[in-house]
């Protein structure tokens, strides 16, 4: 096992405390544990010029020992996050298309930075910078000094975006800080036998040295004690049989197609619990990677799913039959059959001229046929805009919803037809990275 120093162990415990929060913003996490006024640290990344400046307070900067320690801790933080990411303990991903500003600010001391009169105003208290290596207060006093790091790619890779934390973090915590559960002395078997022996001796002494009345009272007390023990045991057995209400469990996964190549040939991060792959499209197109992906997902013992890309111009029954022919080995632990319908489904026709009534009727025909063939209620993949324009029938609400929404919020926008039912799966990001390849990240709620 890799050995960790005290600083790294503290960071690992912080990461562990975020485990149940699902997708975590790296910015929020890092500002809580490292880049804040209490720690006296901040970071500004120049995205266009490709360098980063690590800021520390004057008190830290002017002391050679504390300055060196701060730089070492910053380097260790980067190295630790990179190590955890490569080991699958955490998975870091970014929506690169959302990075629109030339600079990235990382510290809770920064608030809505803006450019005014050739300087960058960093917060409402007047903190600003007019030189790359200095942060000044409203009076113009330098309160933070910066150290430049030219390897901005390594910084951006590990400090920007979001993370998903796997259960593997708990294993690391247990190994570096094992918890030894001590059994109370009165629960040890040897104590129980000694206590029983003393009780017997005490009872014998009391019986032989007391009159009959005291002896009868003693027997009565013992009988009452036995009754209490029996009641406790009965209550314990009843409690053990009580069913705890099942909580919704959140799982993270990816969806893939031929465009992702043989991405499953390598190990996936531990945080990935399921994979959904494209199977078919229209009336006769089979994704060339489907057979490989379908087999690999099963071999990796992950929950698997397959989807059909629906083409509005093609016959719905023909499409359903063709889709089912490819996934007939679907098991009860797999996702139900999934149909993907979106603006691309208008292939070869103008979406504005489509007849919504016939579109919806045909899609419902497809869903009914797939349900007949599979014995499972199929799932519908779509997005909010398309569904509210074309899938308005309340009949769609009976089908579980897989919704695409990349707004990086805590929950997706649910189309009107599903507003009372809610979502089952959420395609949250199109920019999740595995082995330098960009794929979709999904969330699935097991209810």
């Amino acid at each position: 096992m890799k050995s960790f120093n005290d600083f790294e162990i503290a960071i690992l415990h912080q990461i562990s405390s975020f485990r149940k929060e699902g997708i975590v913003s790296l910015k929020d996490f890092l500002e809580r544990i490292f880049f804040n006024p209490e720690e006296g640290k901040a970071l500004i990344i120049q995205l266009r010029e490709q360098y980063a400046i690590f800021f520390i307070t004057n008190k830290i900067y002017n002391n050679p020992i504390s300055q060196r320690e701060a730089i070492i801790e910053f380097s260790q933080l980067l190295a630790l996050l990179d190590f955890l990411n490569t080991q699958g303990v955490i998975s870091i991903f970014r929506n690169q298309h959302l990075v629109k500003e030339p600079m990235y600010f990382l510290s809770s001391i920064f608030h809505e930075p803006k450019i005014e009169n050739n300087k960058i105003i960093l917060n409402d208290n007047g903190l600003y910078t007019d030189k790359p290596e200095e942060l000044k207060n409203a009076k113009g006093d330098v309160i933070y000094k910066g150290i430049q790091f030219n390897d901005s790619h390594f910084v951006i890779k590990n400090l920007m975006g979001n993370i998903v934390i796997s259960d593997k973090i708990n294993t690391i915590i247990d190994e570096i800080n094992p918890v030894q559960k001590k059994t109370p002395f009165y629960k040890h078997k040897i104590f129980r036998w000694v206590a029983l022996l003393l009780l017997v001796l005490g009872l014998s002494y009391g019986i032989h040295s007391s009159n009959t009345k005291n002896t009868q009272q003693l027997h009565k007390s013992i009988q009452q004690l036995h009754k209490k023990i029996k009641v406790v045991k009965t209550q314990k057995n009843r409690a053990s049989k009580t069913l705890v209400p099942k909580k919704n469990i959140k799982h993270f996964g990816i969806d893939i197609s031929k465009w992702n190549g043989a991405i499953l040939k390598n190990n996936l991060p531990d945080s990935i619990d399921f994979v959904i792959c494209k199977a078919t499209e229209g009336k006769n197109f089979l994704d060339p990677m489907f057979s490989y992906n379908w087999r690999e997902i099963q071999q990796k013992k992950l929950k698997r799913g397959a989807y059909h890309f629906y083409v509005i111009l093609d016959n719905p029954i023909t499409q359903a039959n063709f889709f089912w022919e490819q996934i007939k080995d679907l098991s009860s632990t797999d996702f139900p059959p999934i149909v993907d319908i979106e603006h691309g489904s208008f292939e070869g026709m103008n979406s504005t001229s489509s007849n919504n009534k016939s579109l919806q009727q045909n899609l419902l025909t497809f869903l009914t046929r797939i349900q007949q063939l599979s014995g499972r209620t199929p799932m519908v993949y779509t997005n909010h805009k398309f569904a509210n324009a074309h899938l308005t029938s309340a009949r769609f609400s009976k089908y579980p919803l897989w919704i695409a929404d990349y707004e990086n919020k805590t929950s997706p926008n649910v189309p009107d037809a599903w507003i009372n039912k809610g979502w089952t799966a959420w395609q949250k990001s199109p920019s999740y990275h595995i082995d330098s390849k960009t794929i979709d990240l999904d969330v699935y709620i097991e209810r």
Side-chain angles (χ1 to χ4, degrees):
M1 184 190 104
K2 173 180 166 61
S3 60
F4 301 97
N5 59 35
D6 291 342
F7 171 76
E8 292 169 330
I9 290 173
I11 299 297
L12 288 167
H13 279 286
Q14 293 277 6
I15 293 173
S16 178
S17 69
F18 280 76
R19 169 69 184 95
K20 295 182 179 179
E21 295 191 20
I23 297 177
V24 179
S25 163
L26 262 175
K27 178 177 173 63
D28 293 344
F29 169 70
L30 292 169
E31 287 181 351
R32 275 206 239 177
I33 69 166
F34 194 76
F35 297 104
N36 54 59
E38 293 75 23
E39 294 289 335
K41 301 179 179 73
L43 187 75
I44 297 179
I45 303 174
Q46 296 279 357
L47 295 169
R48 290 179 181 171
E49 285 78 9
Q50 293 291 295
Y51 68 87
I53 298 181
F54 174 52
F55 289 96
I56 49 181
T57 60
N58 284 350
K59 182 179 180 181
I60 299 173
Y61 187 92
N62 294 332
N63 183 323
I65 296 176
S66 61
Q67 180 190 132
R68 181 175 178 274
E69 288 177 349
I71 295 172
I72 290 174
E73 284 185 350
F74 177 57
S75 301
Q76 288 177 342
L77 174 65
L78 286 171
L80 178 62
L81 292 175
D82 185 64
F83 169 77
L84 296 176
N85 191 34
T86 57
Q87 296 299 309
V89 181
I90 63 174
S91 298
I92 300 176
F93 64 97
R94 294 175 299 282
N95 289 342
Q96 294 178 341
H97 63 284
L98 294 179
V99 181
K100 300 176 182 178
E101 301 299 326
M103 303 172 71
Y104 182 76
F105 301 89
L106 188 55
S107 175
S108 56
I109 63 171
F110 301 141
H111 179 67
E112 297 183 356
K114 56 188 176 182
I115 299 176
E116 287 185 5
N117 300 323
N118 296 321
K119 59 184 179 182
I120 302 174
I121 307 300
L122 297 168
N123 63 25
D124 297 334
N125 295 324
L127 183 72
Y128 73 93
T129 177
D130 55 3
K131 293 182 179 179
E133 70 280 1
E134 295 177 348
L135 303 183
K136 301 176 181 178
N137 61 19
K139 298 178 181 179
D141 302 322
V142 176
I143 58 174
Y144 281 79
K145 293 182 179 178
I147 299 135
Q148 183 168 322
F149 284 74
N150 291 322
D151 191 1
S152 64
H153 173 74
F154 191 68
V155 175
I156 292 170
K157 173 185 173 185
N158 293 294
L159 298 186
M160 290 181 66
N162 300 293
I163 58 173
V164 178
I165 305 166
S166 78
D167 289 332
K168 203 170 182 178
I169 186 68
N170 297 330
T171 303
I172 293 179
I173 294 298
D174 290 342
E175 289 177 347
I176 62 178
N177 189 26
V179 179
Q180 294 182 351
K181 295 183 179 179
K182 295 184 177 180
T183 304
F185 72 94
Y186 54 85
K187 288 188 177 181
H188 283 287
K189 288 184 178 180
I190 186 66
F191 175 82
R192 292 176 180 175
W193 283 109
V194 171
L196 181 61
L197 178 61
L198 291 174
L199 178 62
V200 171
L201 291 174
L203 292 177
S204 299
Y205 175 79
I207 291 171
H208 290 291
S209 61
S210 303
N211 57 32
T212 304
K213 183 177 180 180
N214 289 339
T215 302
Q216 290 174 344
Q217 181 61 42
L218 184 59
H219 279 292
K220 185 177 180 181
S221 298
I222 293 172
Q223 288 173 353
Q224 289 176 343
L225 179 62
H226 277 289
K227 287 180 180 179
K228 288 182 180 179
I229 293 173
K230 187 175 182 180
V231 169
V232 170
K233 285 183 177 180
T234 302
Q235 291 176 342
K236 184 177 180 182
N237 289 337
R238 286 177 181 172
S240 65
K241 294 178 182 178
T242 302
L243 294 176
V244 179
K246 186 177 179 181
K247 295 182 179 179
N248 293 345
I249 303 173
K250 185 181 292 184
H251 300 279
F252 296 95
I254 57 175
D255 61 272
I256 57 176
S257 68
K258 66 175 183 178
W259 304 111
N260 304 110
I263 196 168
L264 298 179
K265 69 178 180 180
N266 298 321
N267 292 329
L268 297 176
D270 287 356
S271 55
I272 299 301
D273 295 327
F274 67 88
V275 179
I276 299 172
C277 61
K278 181 176 181 179
T280 53
E281 178 176 334
K283 59 185 179 181
N284 56 13
F285 177 80
L286 175 66
D287 189 290
M289 291 299 296
F290 172 69
S291 296
Y292 171 82
N293 288 334
W294 194 238
R295 182 179 65 253
E296 284 296 308
I297 300 167
Q298 187 176 45
Q299 289 181 355
K300 289 181 181 294
K301 297 182 179 179
L302 298 170
K303 188 178 181 70
R304 66 179 183 173
Y307 72 89
H308 169 81
F309 188 86
Y310 187 82
V311 176
I312 294 170
L313 279 178
D314 290 345
N315 182 280
I317 297 295
T318 303
Q319 292 189 71
N321 291 341
F322 176 63
F323 180 33
W324 176 245
E325 280 299 313
Q326 318 308 320
I327 62 168
K328 284 197 294 188
D329 62 337
L330 194 75
S331 72
S332 59
T333 58
D334 295 329
F335 283 101
I338 303 166
V339 59
D340 174 354
I341 182 166
E342 51 189 283
H343 285 91
S345 298
F346 286 109
E347 180 183 344
M349 63 184 297
N350 188 341
S351 61
T352 58
S353 63
S354 66
N355 185 322
N356 267 2
K357 185 176 180 180
S358 62
L359 182 157
Q360 293 183 92
Q361 185 57 54
N362 286 341
L363 180 60
L364 288 167
T365 298
F366 173 94
L367 292 167
T368 301
R369 178 58 177 164
I370 278 292
Q371 186 165 357
Q372 290 172 347
L373 292 169
S374 66
R376 307 274 300 276
T377 302
M379 183 183 294
V380 176
Y381 168 94
T382 190
N383 60 70
H384 184 270
K385 183 177 180 180
F386 181 90
N388 277 351
H390 303 288
L391 307 181
T392 56
S393 171
R395 295 171 64 188
F396 287 114
S397 64
K398 68 172 284 189
Y399 302 102
L401 173 66
W402 176 15
I403 184 71
D405 188 346
Y406 310 142
E407 294 300 319
N408 205 24
K409 298 172 296 188
T410 56
S411 61
N413 282 327
V414 177
D416 295 342
W418 284 272
I419 199 69
N420 295 322
K421 182 82 172 285
W423 59 277
T424 299
W426 173 18
Q427 190 181 75
K428 183 176 175 62
S429 170
S431 304
Y432 183 68
H433 294 272
I434 294 179
D435 295 330
S436 301
K437 294 181 179 180
T438 302
I439 53 178
D440 298 326
L441 177 70
D442 300 280
V443 181
Y444 161 65
I445 299 294
E446 182 182 347
R447 304 182 192 279

